[in-house]
Amino acid sequence: MSKQQIFKRVALSALILVVAILIGCYIALRSGAFHQYILSIMVSRAEQATGSKVQIGDFTFHLSGLRVDLYRIAIRGNEPPSAPPFLRVNHIGMNLKIISLFGGRVGLSNVEISHPVVHVFVGANGRSNLPRPPPSHPAQSEGPGELFRLEINHFVLRKGEIDVNDRQMPLQADLRHLQIQGDFAPRKMAYRGSLRYQHGVIQVGHFKPVAHNLNLHFIVRPTEMLLKPLVVRSGNSRISVRAVVKNYSHPAVTGSYSVALRAADMARVLNTPIHPTGEIDTTAHF
């Protein structure tokens, strides 16, 4: 028997084993007691990862598309018990994808989030209700530790709302190739992360949505937030911003920006039948 035939047999056997395990899990999930057991594990793992009180109302799993649906999710931060939770979500739907069959790596091909509401409270002293990693979390070691790393092929957010110090802002998004990474440095009490995506359409408030690509690196500390940098591209236009935000209760923003706007891109955003030419390039501090 050739090496190629041996490899094909091993791969086929592994595939049959994975399918058998999935079918077994599906049958087991039909049991009410086992369903509640899995739900309790989900909540426990989420609480260990976030260091916060987590609630998940229910979940379903479908072999077709390897889809998981979570319902009535709530994550509490450092807010008082009488205050709204840091995050509340009606529904999260996810389609899993197997990245490495032998390595056991599973990713997300699609994520749909319906009606998420984020409540953020930041006092004059910089204290906030943002969740913090638990003392036993690796991020509590001397150096920074990774909190999460996500890669999602297609991400959709519907009827979202961000509430910062009682200022509400509606939010909807449709993003492709989303990548998010977050670290926490306990000594400096600083969150460091990055966010990037392609072919994104985001509607904030009543502003007209514009298709664009985004790349953002940020640091959040108790007294300030740094964008280093935020880069947005749409068509042949580009905006780059570096900024420092201090005093969350009465924000003071300093930084610089570089703008390269093409007239054709602006006409598309403004939805005008005119097809102008030319460009605007400027750099400034604020």
Side-chain angles (χ1 to χ4, degrees):
M1 184 180 297
S2 67
K3 291 183 179 180
Q4 185 177 7
Q5 289 175 323
I6 294 174
F7 178 79
K8 286 183 178 179
R9 287 196 174 187
V10 171
L12 179 60
S13 299
L15 181 59
I16 293 174
L17 178 61
V18 170
V19 172
I21 291 174
L22 289 174
I23 293 175
C25 290
Y26 178 76
I27 294 173
L29 286 173
R30 305 292 293 182
S31 165
F34 189 76
H35 184 92
Q36 290 301 315
Y37 172 71
I38 294 297
L39 185 60
S40 67
I41 291 179
M42 289 174 134
V43 171
S44 176
R45 293 290 176 86
E47 290 182 340
Q48 290 176 14
T50 62
S52 305
K53 181 67 176 177
V54 176
Q55 297 175 343
I56 302 177
D58 199 3
F59 80 98
T60 58
F61 174 72
H62 304 276
L63 277 176
S64 176
L66 293 178
R67 183 175 176 87
V68 178
D69 290 275
L70 307 177
Y71 300 93
R72 303 181 300 281
I73 306 102
I75 299 177
R76 283 211 163 268
N78 296 316
E79 63 273 347
S82 59
F86 167 73
L87 173 64
R88 188 188 300 277
V89 184
N90 282 1
H91 167 249
I92 299 177
M94 299 172 286
N95 289 94
L96 309 179
K97 63 176 181 180
I98 299 176
I99 299 175
S100 173
L101 182 62
F102 298 100
R105 293 179 56 200
V106 178
L108 300 172
S109 59
N110 295 285
V111 174
E112 304 168 10
I113 302 180
S114 301
H115 197 198
V117 180
V118 178
H119 292 275
V120 178
F121 303 96
V122 183
N125 59 357
R127 297 188 61 181
S128 71
N129 68 323
L130 293 176
R132 295 180 181 178
S136 59
H137 195 281
Q140 294 287 45
S141 60
E142 292 186 1
E146 184 176 275
L147 292 178
F148 54 83
R149 181 191 295 267
L150 290 175
E151 295 186 11
I152 304 170
N153 290 359
H154 187 200
F155 174 87
V156 177
L157 185 151
R158 299 186 178 92
K159 297 182 179 179
E161 181 182 315
I162 300 177
D163 188 331
V164 180
N165 288 355
D166 295 327
R167 296 180 181 178
Q168 297 180 353
M169 179 173 62
L171 175 66
Q172 298 197 97
D174 190 319
L175 315 175
R176 303 280 179 171
H177 306 298
L178 172 64
Q179 299 179 23
I180 309 174
Q181 180 179 348
D183 302 326
F184 179 70
R187 283 191 171 183
K188 298 181 179 180
M189 291 300 297
Y191 293 88
R192 182 190 302 268
S194 63
L195 168 67
R196 59 173 57 92
Y197 55 79
Q198 300 176 11
H199 309 296
V201 178
I202 297 179
Q203 184 167 6
V204 180
H206 301 291
F207 292 98
K208 179 180 177 63
V210 179
H212 62 281
N213 299 343
L214 181 141
N215 194 337
L216 166 65
H217 294 267
F218 62 88
I219 298 176
V220 179
R221 301 191 179 107
T223 58
E224 64 180 5
M225 178 175 66
L226 289 74
L227 305 181
K228 45 178 298 187
L230 164 64
V231 180
V232 180
R233 299 178 183 272
S234 180
N236 294 316
S237 298
R238 177 181 182 273
I239 299 175
S240 177
V241 179
R242 293 178 178 270
V244 178
V245 181
K246 294 181 178 290
N247 190 359
Y248 294 119
S249 58
H250 297 87
V253 183
T254 58
S256 63
Y257 63 85
S258 174
V259 178
L261 297 179
R262 304 300 177 255
D265 295 329
M266 293 299 298
R268 186 176 65 255
V269 172
L270 297 175
N271 197 25
T272 174
I274 303 175
H275 300 284
T277 59
E279 58 188 52
I280 299 173
D281 291 280
T282 184
T283 301
H285 295 267
F286 55 87

Coordinates of all heavy atoms in Angstrom, one line a residue, residues 121-164:
F121 N -20.4 53.0 31.7 CA -20.4 54.1 32.6 C -18.9 54.4 33.0 O -18.2 53.5 33.4 CB -21.1 53.7 33.9 CG -22.6 53.3 33.6 CD1 -22.9 52.0 33.5 CD2 -23.6 54.3 33.5 CE1 -24.3 51.6 33.3 CE2 -24.9 54.0 33.2 CZ -25.2 52.6 33.1
V122 N -18.5 55.6 32.8 CA -17.1 56.1 33.2 C -17.2 57.3 34.1 O -17.8 58.3 33.7 CB -16.3 56.4 31.9 CG1 -14.9 56.7 32.3 CG2 -16.3 55.2 31.0
G123 N -16.7 57.2 35.3 CA -16.7 58.3 36.2 C -15.6 59.3 36.0 O -14.7 59.0 35.2
A124 N -15.6 60.4 36.7 CA -14.6 61.4 36.6 C -13.2 60.9 37.0 O -12.1 61.3 36.5 CB -14.9 62.6 37.4
N125 N -13.2 59.9 37.9 CA -11.9 59.3 38.4 C -11.4 58.2 37.4 O -10.4 57.6 37.7 CB -12.1 58.7 39.8 CG -13.2 57.7 39.8 OD1 -13.8 57.4 38.8 ND2 -13.4 57.1 41.0
G126 N -12.1 58.0 36.3 CA -11.7 57.0 35.4 C -12.2 55.6 35.6 O -12.0 54.7 34.8
R127 N -12.9 55.4 36.7 CA -13.4 54.0 37.0 C -14.6 53.8 36.1 O -15.5 54.7 35.9 CB -13.8 54.0 38.5 CG -12.7 54.1 39.5 CD -13.1 53.8 40.9 NE -13.6 52.5 41.1 CZ -14.1 52.0 42.2 NH1 -14.1 52.7 43.3 NH2 -14.5 50.7 42.3
S128 N -14.7 52.6 35.6 CA -15.8 52.2 34.7 C -16.4 50.9 35.1 O -15.9 50.2 36.0 CB -15.2 52.2 33.3 OG -14.4 51.0 33.1
N129 N -17.4 50.5 34.3 CA -18.0 49.2 34.5 C -17.5 48.2 33.6 O -18.1 47.1 33.4 CB -19.6 49.3 34.4 CG -20.0 49.6 32.9 OD1 -19.3 50.4 32.2 ND2 -21.1 49.1 32.5
L130 N -16.4 48.4 32.9 CA -15.8 47.4 32.0 C -15.4 46.2 32.7 O -14.8 46.3 33.8 CB -14.6 48.0 31.2 CG -14.9 49.2 30.3 CD1 -13.5 49.7 29.7 CD2 -15.7 48.7 29.1
P131 N -15.7 45.0 32.2 CA -15.4 43.8 32.9 C -13.8 43.7 32.9 O -13.1 44.1 32.1 CB -15.9 42.7 31.9 CG -17.0 43.3 31.2 CD -16.6 44.8 31.0
R132 N -13.4 43.0 34.0 CA -11.9 42.8 34.2 C -11.7 41.3 34.3 O -12.5 40.6 34.9 CB -11.4 43.5 35.5 CG -11.5 45.0 35.4 CD -11.0 45.6 36.7 NE -11.1 47.1 36.6 CZ -10.8 47.9 37.7 NH1 -10.4 47.4 38.8 NH2 -10.9 49.2 37.5
P133 N -10.5 40.8 33.8 CA -10.2 39.4 34.0 C -10.1 39.0 35.4 O -9.7 39.8 36.3 CB -8.8 39.3 33.3 CG -8.7 40.5 32.5 CD -9.5 41.6 33.2
P134 N -10.5 37.8 35.7 CA -10.5 37.3 37.1 C -9.0 37.1 37.6 O -8.1 37.0 36.8 CB -11.2 35.9 37.0 CG -11.0 35.5 35.6 CD -11.0 36.7 34.8
P135 N -8.8 37.1 38.9 CA -7.4 37.0 39.4 C -6.6 35.8 38.9 O -5.4 35.8 38.8 CB -7.6 36.9 40.9 CG -8.9 37.6 41.2 CD -9.7 37.3 40.0
S136 N -7.4 34.7 38.6 CA -6.7 33.5 38.1 C -6.4 33.5 36.6 O -5.8 32.6 36.1 CB -7.6 32.3 38.5 OG -8.8 32.4 37.9
H137 N -6.9 34.5 36.0 CA -6.7 34.6 34.5 C -5.2 34.8 34.2 O -4.6 35.6 34.9 CB -7.6 35.8 33.9 CG -7.7 35.7 32.4 ND1 -6.7 36.0 31.5 CD2 -8.8 35.2 31.7 CE1 -7.2 35.9 30.3 NE2 -8.4 35.3 30.4
P138 N -4.7 34.2 33.1 CA -3.3 34.4 32.7 C -3.0 35.9 32.5 O -1.8 36.3 32.6 CB -3.2 33.6 31.4 CG -4.3 32.6 31.4 CD -5.4 33.2 32.2
A139 N -4.0 36.7 32.2 CA -3.7 38.1 31.9 C -3.3 38.8 33.2 O -2.9 40.0 33.2 CB -4.9 38.8 31.3
Q140 N -3.5 38.2 34.4 CA -3.1 38.8 35.6 C -1.7 38.6 36.0 O -1.3 38.9 37.1 CB -4.1 38.3 36.8 CG -5.5 38.7 36.6 CD -5.7 40.2 36.8 OE1 -5.0 41.0 36.4 NE2 -6.7 40.5 37.6
S141 N -0.9 37.9 35.1 CA 0.5 37.8 35.4 C 1.2 39.1 35.2 O 0.6 40.1 34.8 CB 1.1 36.7 34.4 OG 0.9 37.1 33.1
E142 N 2.5 39.1 35.3 CA 3.2 40.4 35.3 C 3.1 41.0 33.9 O 3.0 42.2 33.7 CB 4.7 40.2 35.7 CG 4.9 39.8 37.1 CD 6.4 39.8 37.5 OE1 7.2 40.0 36.6 OE2 6.7 39.5 38.7
G143 N 3.2 40.2 32.8 CA 3.1 40.8 31.5 C 1.7 40.7 31.0 O 0.8 40.2 31.6
P144 N 1.5 41.4 29.8 CA 0.2 41.4 29.2 C -0.2 40.0 28.8 O 0.6 39.2 28.3 CB 0.3 42.3 28.0 CG 1.8 42.3 27.7 CD 2.5 42.1 29.0
G145 N -1.5 39.7 28.9 CA -2.0 38.4 28.5 C -3.1 38.5 27.5 O -3.9 39.5 27.5
E146 N -3.3 37.6 26.6 CA -4.3 37.6 25.6 C -5.7 37.3 26.2 O -5.8 36.3 26.8 CB -4.0 36.7 24.4 CG -4.9 36.8 23.3 CD -4.5 35.9 22.1 OE1 -3.7 36.3 21.3 OE2 -5.0 34.7 22.0
L147 N -6.6 38.2 25.9 CA -8.0 37.9 26.4 C -8.8 37.2 25.4 O -9.5 36.3 25.7 CB -8.7 39.3 26.7 CG -8.2 40.1 27.9 CD1 -8.9 41.4 28.0 CD2 -8.3 39.3 29.2
F148 N -8.7 37.6 24.1 CA -9.4 36.9 23.0 C -8.8 37.2 21.7 O -8.0 38.1 21.5 CB -10.9 37.4 23.0 CG -11.0 38.9 22.9 CD1 -11.0 39.5 21.7 CD2 -11.2 39.6 24.1 CE1 -11.1 40.9 21.6 CE2 -11.4 41.0 24.0 CZ -11.3 41.6 22.7
R149 N -9.1 36.3 20.8 CA -8.7 36.5 19.4 C -9.7 35.8 18.5 O -10.0 34.6 18.6 CB -7.3 35.8 19.1 CG -6.8 36.0 17.7 CD -5.6 35.1 17.5 NE -4.5 35.5 18.3 CZ -3.5 36.3 17.9 NH1 -3.6 36.8 16.7 NH2 -2.5 36.6 18.7
L150 N -10.4 36.6 17.6 CA -11.5 36.1 16.8 C -11.2 36.5 15.3 O -10.7 37.5 15.0 CB -12.8 36.8 17.2 CG -13.4 36.4 18.6 CD1 -14.6 37.2 18.8 CD2 -13.7 34.9 18.6
E151 N -11.6 35.5 14.5 CA -11.5 35.7 13.0 C -12.9 35.3 12.5 O -13.3 34.1 12.7 CB -10.4 35.0 12.4 CG -9.0 35.5 12.8 CD -7.9 34.8 12.0 OE1 -8.2 34.1 11.0 OE2 -6.7 35.0 12.4
I152 N -13.6 36.2 11.8 CA -15.0 35.9 11.4 C -15.1 36.3 9.9 O -14.8 37.4 9.5 CB -16.0 36.6 12.2 CG1 -15.9 36.3 13.7 CG2 -17.4 36.3 11.7 CD1 -16.7 37.2 14.6
N153 N -15.5 35.3 9.1 CA -15.6 35.6 7.6 C -16.7 36.7 7.4 O -16.5 37.6 6.6 CB -16.0 34.4 6.9 CG -14.9 33.4 6.8 OD1 -13.8 33.6 7.4 ND2 -15.1 32.2 6.2
H154 N -17.9 36.6 8.0 CA -19.0 37.5 7.8 C -19.6 37.8 9.1 O -20.1 36.9 9.8 CB -20.0 36.9 6.8 CG -21.0 37.9 6.4 ND1 -22.2 37.5 5.8 CD2 -21.1 39.3 6.4 CE1 -23.0 38.6 5.6 NE2 -22.3 39.7 5.9
F155 N -19.7 39.1 9.5 CA -20.2 39.5 10.7 C -21.4 40.5 10.5 O -21.2 41.5 9.7 CB -19.2 40.2 11.6 CG -19.6 40.8 12.9 CD1 -19.7 40.1 14.0 CD2 -20.0 42.2 12.9 CE1 -20.2 40.6 15.2 CE2 -20.5 42.7 14.1 CZ -20.6 41.9 15.2
V156 N -22.5 40.3 11.1 CA -23.7 41.2 10.9 C -24.2 41.5 12.3 O -24.4 40.7 13.1 CB -24.8 40.5 10.1 CG1 -26.0 41.4 10.0 CG2 -24.3 40.1 8.7
L157 N -24.4 42.8 12.5 CA -25.0 43.3 13.8 C -26.3 44.1 13.4 O -26.2 45.1 12.6 CB -24.0 44.2 14.5 CG -24.4 44.7 15.9 CD1 -23.1 44.9 16.7 CD2 -25.1 46.1 15.8
R158 N -27.4 43.8 14.0 CA -28.7 44.4 13.7 C -29.2 45.1 15.0 O -29.2 44.5 16.0 CB -29.7 43.4 13.1 CG -29.2 42.7 11.8 CD -30.4 41.9 11.3 NE -30.0 41.2 10.0 CZ -29.4 40.1 9.9 NH1 -29.2 39.3 11.0 NH2 -29.1 39.6 8.7
K159 N -29.8 46.3 14.8 CA -30.5 47.0 15.9 C -29.6 47.1 17.1 O -30.1 46.8 18.2 CB -31.8 46.3 16.2 CG -32.8 46.3 15.0 CD -34.1 45.7 15.4 CE -35.1 45.7 14.2 NZ -36.4 45.1 14.5
G160 N -28.4 47.5 16.9 CA -27.5 47.6 18.1 C -27.7 49.0 18.8 O -28.2 49.9 18.2
E161 N -27.2 49.1 20.0 CA -27.3 50.4 20.7 C -26.1 50.5 21.7 O -25.8 49.5 22.4 CB -28.6 50.5 21.5 CG -28.7 51.8 22.3 CD -30.0 51.8 23.1 OE1 -31.1 51.4 22.5 OE2 -30.0 52.2 24.2
I162 N -25.4 51.6 21.6 CA -24.3 51.9 22.6 C -24.7 53.0 23.5 O -25.1 54.1 23.0 CB -23.0 52.2 21.8 CG1 -22.6 51.0 20.9 CG2 -21.9 52.6 22.8 CD1 -21.3 51.3 20.1
D163 N -24.7 52.8 24.8 CA -25.1 53.8 25.7 C -23.9 54.1 26.6 O -23.5 53.3 27.4 CB -26.2 53.2 26.6 CG -26.8 54.3 27.5 OD1 -26.1 55.2 27.9 OD2 -28.0 54.2 27.8
V164 N -23.3 55.3 26.4 CA -22.1 55.8 27.1 C -22.5 56.9 28.0 O -22.9 58.0 27.5 CB -21.0 56.2 26.2 CG1 -19.7 56.6 27.0 CG2 -20.6 55.0 25.3

